[in-house]
Amino acid sequence: MSEAKDWAALESLPFEEALRKLEETVQILERGDVPLEQAIDLFEEGMRLAHVCGRKLKRAEQQVEMLVKRNEEWVREPFDPEEAAD
């Protein structure tokens, strides 16, 4: 499978499935009993899965809005996780 098809296939996964695959990949790598070439392939797939999961989370954050009370009225504002952390 080409790298572009790999990315497209990973991007089409639901977040939960991509995360589950990432966790499985990490567990396999942590066991340390796979040949080096397979470990490199797994590492690359894990990095792609981590990137896909990160992008999906970022998109979800951008879609979330907060209701904030200003001047006795409830108004919608985009959720800013960096502002919320302050």
Side-chain angles (χ1 to χ4, degrees):
M1 187 183 295
S2 75
E3 191 169 322
K5 286 184 179 177
D6 286 347
W7 276 105
L10 293 177
E11 284 283 348
S12 69
L13 293 174
F15 173 78
E16 292 78 9
E17 188 172 344
L19 182 60
R20 182 187 55 77
K21 284 181 174 265
L22 176 58
E23 290 172 342
E24 288 174 1
T25 301
V26 169
Q27 288 175 353
I28 292 169
L29 287 171
E30 285 180 342
R31 284 196 318 247
D33 59 355
V34 292
L36 178 62
E37 292 78 14
Q38 185 181 356
I40 291 170
D41 289 343
L42 286 168
F43 177 79
E44 289 175 352
E45 182 176 344
M47 292 301 292
R48 286 192 293 265
L49 286 164
H51 182 77
V52 165
C53 287
R55 285 176 45 143
K56 288 180 182 282
L57 282 174
K58 185 72 176 172
R59 265 186 260 143
E61 285 175 357
Q62 291 170 345
Q63 293 174 342
V64 173
E65 290 183 328
M66 298 185 315
L67 282 176
V68 179
K69 196 169 192 176
R70 294 198 191 275
N71 299 327
E72 302 301 319
E73 285 188 41
W74 289 99
V75 293
R76 290 180 180 201
E77 290 187 358
F79 175 70
D80 181 359
E82 292 179 14
E83 186 176 299
D86 293 338

